[in-house]
Amino acid sequence: MPEIFALVPAAGCGSRMGSGLPKQYLPIAGQPMLYHALATLCANPDINTVFVILTPDDAYWHSYDWSLFGEKLQPLFCGGATRAESVLNGLMAAELELDDWLLVHDAARPCLSHKQLAHLIEVLRDDEVGGILAVPVADTLKRADAECRIVHTENREGVWQAQTPQMFRTGLLLQALQTAPNVTDDASAVEALGFHPKLVTSSYSNFKVTYPQDIELAELLLVQRK
Ligand code: C5P
């Protein structure tokens, strides 16, 4: 019976945040950002182990208390120069079976809910390919020129915003990331092999913390949930 694992790339520096501290360690609701996604993943009874991928010279991990998560949480200090490289390095270090499921989730999405995570697993665990959490685009989309003037309005019909977790068989993801290393998410690499991952409807609450103002919103959501 294939098992389910999670892998959290957390080896970025978060340059768009403009902070000295790497984004994944910025405080949100009394904990480093990274803590919240790890807590949700570790609490899921279907997930065997949660691997967190850190830079080889991560100077912050050991300053926090992760003991609540016990053996279920395994740090791997093998992050790479890009997100895709960090995921690939983590995949190789984790030594999973090729047909095990792997959920890749960004540390920068601290508001993933237990319900969204359980729904993704339920929809995909018997799927041929795997898939991702995503939301249909609600806003009108504008194409801009270099001066921030509208060139035209894009057709948003059938356009979705990709989120994480992204859930694929370990063997497929390994092959995909080795074949297409220049991708910004895992699904793109799987698509490049000719597969069509499933879009599993999520909500905007699972947004990616990218800019300073996102921290406040994440904090509001997480405090309200407590
Ligand atoms: O920068 P961005 O928000 O797109 O990063 C998405 C996720 O990928 C974050 O959790 C970040 O820590 C991780 N990442 C990584 N290794 C890199 C770059 C980003 O693990 N070299």
Side-chain angles (χ1 to χ4, degrees):
M1 186 69 177
E3 297 201 77
I4 302 175
F5 294 85
L7 189 148
V8 178
C13 59
S15 51
R16 285 171 290 186
M17 192 60 80
S19 155
L21 196 62
K23 181 168 73 173
Q24 56 274 26
Y25 290 110
L26 290 176
I28 300 187
Q31 296 289 354
M33 186 189 307
L34 177 58
Y35 183 96
H36 301 286
L38 295 179
T40 305
L41 292 163
C42 284
N44 186 291
D46 291 327
I47 296 178
N48 177 306
T49 306
V50 178
F51 299 98
V52 54
I53 313 306
L54 306 160
T55 55
D57 59 352
D58 185 297
Y60 304 95
W61 177 258
H62 293 295
S63 12
Y64 300 97
D65 181 11
W66 307 100
S67 59
L68 179 71
F69 306 125
E71 293 288 295
K72 188 158 178 174
L73 179 62
Q74 296 288 330
L76 297 171
F77 294 85
C78 61
T82 62
R83 179 192 184 279
E85 205 178 301
S86 294
V87 173
L88 187 57
N89 290 354
L91 261 172
M92 292 193 283
E95 295 184 339
L96 308 178
E97 298 294 327
L98 294 183
D99 64 345
D100 283 336
W101 283 108
L102 190 73
L103 289 124
V104 182
H105 182 63
D106 287 341
R109 292 187 191 272
C111 301
L112 171 71
S113 72
H114 297 289
K115 209 169 148 190
Q116 287 162 343
L117 176 60
H119 180 56
L120 180 76
I121 294 174
E122 189 194 323
V123 173
L124 295 179
R125 71 186 318 159
D126 295 320
D127 196 87
E128 290 279 300
V129 179
I132 70 172
L133 283 184
V135 279
V137 167
D139 295 323
T140 301
L141 297 175
K142 304 293 185 189
R143 174 71 54 190
D145 65 14
E147 275 81 47
C148 288
R149 296 245 160 225
I150 296 171
V151 178
H152 62 258
T153 299
E154 299 280 354
N155 181 3
R156 69 166 184 223
E157 188 71 31
V159 178
W160 292 60
Q161 262 179 267
Q163 298 183 343
T164 67
Q166 305 204 342
M167 178 168 164
F168 295 103
R169 301 268 183 189
T170 301
L172 177 62
L173 193 54
L174 207 52
Q175 187 196 351
L177 290 172
Q178 280 165 339
T179 313
N182 300 317
V183 288
T184 51
D185 76 343
D186 313 290
S188 312
V190 173
E191 293 156 42
L193 291 180
F195 292 97
H196 299 285
K198 176 98 180 148
L199 293 163
V200 178
T201 306
S202 175
S203 77
Y204 285 107
S205 64
N206 184 28
F207 65 97
K208 184 161 78 166
V209 174
T210 306
Y211 302 106
Q213 60 269 29
D214 300 335
I215 296 261
E216 210 173 309
L217 187 56
E219 172 121 6
L220 271 171
L221 263 172
L222 290 166
V223 168
Q224 190 209 28
R225 271 189 208 158
K226 272 190 200 163

